Amino acid sequence: MSNARATHLTRRGILAAGGALGLGAVLAACGDDDAAKNGGSGSASSAEASGPWTFEDDRGTTVKLDKVPANIVAFTGVAAALHDYGIEVKGVFGPTTTKDGKADVQAGDMDVSKLTVFGNVWEQFNVEQYAAFRPDVLISTTFDSAGTLWYVPEASKDKIAKLAPSVAVSVFDRQLPKPLERVWELAESLGADMKADKVVQAKKKFEEAAARLRAAAKAKPEIKVMAGSASEELFYVSGTNLSIDLEYFKALGVNFVEPSEKAKEPTGGWFESLSWENVDKHAADIIIMDDRSSTIQPADITEATWKKLPAVKAGQVIARSPEPILSYAKCTPLLTSLAEAIEKAEKVS
């Protein structure tokens, strides 16, 4: 295993599995075991017939095609962002449906019944089905400096790479506005109308929400916010470093609980693992909890120590999206909900 991949796997504990350690736990936590599901191909982009197409991604790789790609395959969250800009992705991989068949939170507003899903869980990707799909391009995010494509399995990445060029949008060591800009540029290159009123207004509302959060944080600097994620055995406290949302919120002035340096060492600085007996280690006034379907949601946490936390008793717990859908429309509510929570929060820690 390469050093880059080892670093990637370290972060997988908090990202791919919402804190469940080990590959077995990842597979168990991420949903359905089906390698792929059959579905409609979806509608093509309005720019399908135009071309040529060129895009330089965040790895410095330039993809050149004779025409704008029509058969697009993307990580589910990226596909959901492009959907918000009017670009319909036909095939996806990554958390798309939950165990009960409903749309995963990372699928956004997409109609999942119309998607071809090549893999719904970590380390699962139906290469044969992908080849038959005849993809024009594969798009994903990357969480490391090496440009590793998120949710593209290590074991089959070389085979996948031979079937179509890939585009990576980096969410590594940068604040939220940058990947939002990059997905905007990507959508525009694919034929999205970025002057449409809906799109323009979404960006404006994001900027207004950012200003509101900055003002709320400035007005109540004493309010401490903790980012958490729950599994059956452990509670994870995320540090702001290297997380696109938390780094940005911190830059806007939000006062975050930061795991101790010693505690972060085993996880490469991403998060601190706490037993439920020690979940009260850090004092917090607001807790923002991982909203992905692979994690235990606040209403389902039965641990007595959790229920005794001051923020929980005060009802000051809200959702957080560690892997936000990178459109302005989807990220605005993340800013707004945190701003509102801080505005209304009582000092309880």
Side-chain angles (χ1 to χ4, degrees):
M1 181 183 296
S2 67
N3 290 335
R5 187 60 176 173
T7 300
H8 194 56
L9 285 171
T10 297
R11 195 181 193 199
R12 181 180 68 189
I14 196 65
L15 285 170
L21 300 181
L23 180 58
V26 174
L27 294 174
C30 288
D32 197 340
D33 283 337
D34 292 338
K37 76 176 185 65
N38 295 322
S41 60
S43 58
S45 163
S46 60
E48 180 178 346
S50 63
W53 183 75
T54 301
F55 189 81
E56 182 179 354
D57 74 359
D58 290 335
R59 300 170 299 183
T61 300
T62 299
V63 177
K64 297 181 179 180
L65 299 175
D66 292 337
K67 63 178 182 179
V68 175
N71 264 15
I72 302 171
V73 174
F75 172 69
T76 302
V78 174
L82 292 174
H83 173 84
D84 286 350
Y85 293 126
I87 302 299
E88 299 303 332
V89 172
K90 296 180 178 182
V92 298
F93 56 96
T96 306
T97 58
T98 57
K99 290 181 179 180
D100 58 7
K102 296 180 180 179
D104 189 275
V105 65
Q106 295 191 62
D109 296 330
M110 294 189 296
D111 183 347
V112 296
S113 70
K114 295 182 178 180
L115 298 171
T116 298
V117 185
F118 300 105
N120 197 50
V121 302
W122 184 258
E123 293 292 356
Q124 200 171 83
F125 195 112
N126 192 320
V127 180
E128 291 73 21
Q129 186 185 23
Y130 179 66
F133 189 79
R134 299 178 66 84
D136 292 327
V137 68
L138 180 147
I139 307 171
S140 190
T141 50
T142 180
F143 281 89
D144 59 29
S145 58
T148 306
L149 294 172
W150 189 233
Y151 263 82
V152 172
E154 178 73 16
S156 55
K157 67 176 183 178
D158 292 339
K159 292 180 180 179
I160 293 169
K162 292 177 180 178
L163 296 170
S166 63
V167 168
V169 176
S170 178
V171 290
F172 175 71
D173 199 19
R174 53 180 53 184
Q175 295 177 20
L176 186 57
K178 184 60 179 178
L180 279 172
E181 291 171 7
R182 293 296 284 145
V183 172
W184 173 289
E185 293 166 0
L186 177 61
E188 185 173 34
S189 78
L190 293 169
D193 180 5
M194 310 313 283
K195 294 182 180 179
D197 185 65
K198 177 182 178 181
V199 175
V200 173
Q201 289 301 315
K203 187 174 183 180
K204 180 181 178 182
K205 289 178 181 178
F206 176 84
E207 293 167 348
E208 291 172 348
R212 179 181 176 181
L213 180 54
R214 186 188 297 276
K218 184 177 181 179
K220 289 188 172 181
E222 73 281 5
I223 297 297
K224 293 281 284 186
V225 178
M226 180 168 66
S229 184
S231 70
E232 289 187 8
E233 296 181 354
L234 296 169
F235 181 83
Y236 301 88
V237 179
S238 295
T240 57
N241 187 36
L242 303 178
S243 294
I244 58 170
D245 59 332
L246 302 185
E247 277 198 13
Y248 183 51
F249 299 160
K250 184 177 181 179
L252 292 174
V254 177
N255 183 8
F256 278 100
V257 168
E258 297 284 3
S260 65
E261 289 303 316
K262 184 177 181 180
K264 291 191 296 182
E265 285 175 7
T267 64
W270 298 108
F271 58 94
E272 177 181 5
S273 306
L274 297 175
S275 66
W276 284 105
E277 289 77 12
N278 295 313
V279 73
D280 61 351
K281 177 180 178 180
H282 301 288
D285 304 296
I286 295 172
I287 303 175
I288 56 176
M289 289 292 291
D290 190 336
D291 69 352
R292 290 168 301 171
S293 57
S294 56
T295 66
I296 299 177
Q297 297 306 300
D300 299 319
I301 299 176
T302 59
E303 300 291 341
T305 49
W306 162 261
K307 295 179 179 180
K308 292 179 181 178
L309 292 177
V312 176
K313 292 172 68 175
Q316 295 177 174
V317 179
I318 64 171
R320 174 206 172 201
S321 297
E323 293 182 69
I325 294 172
L326 296 171
S327 71
Y328 290 104
K330 290 295 184 294
C331 288
T332 295
L334 308 180
L335 295 165
T336 301
S337 63
L338 182 53
E340 183 177 2
I342 293 174
E343 290 165 354
K344 295 180 178 180
E346 297 181 3
K347 183 67 179 176
V348 294
S349 63

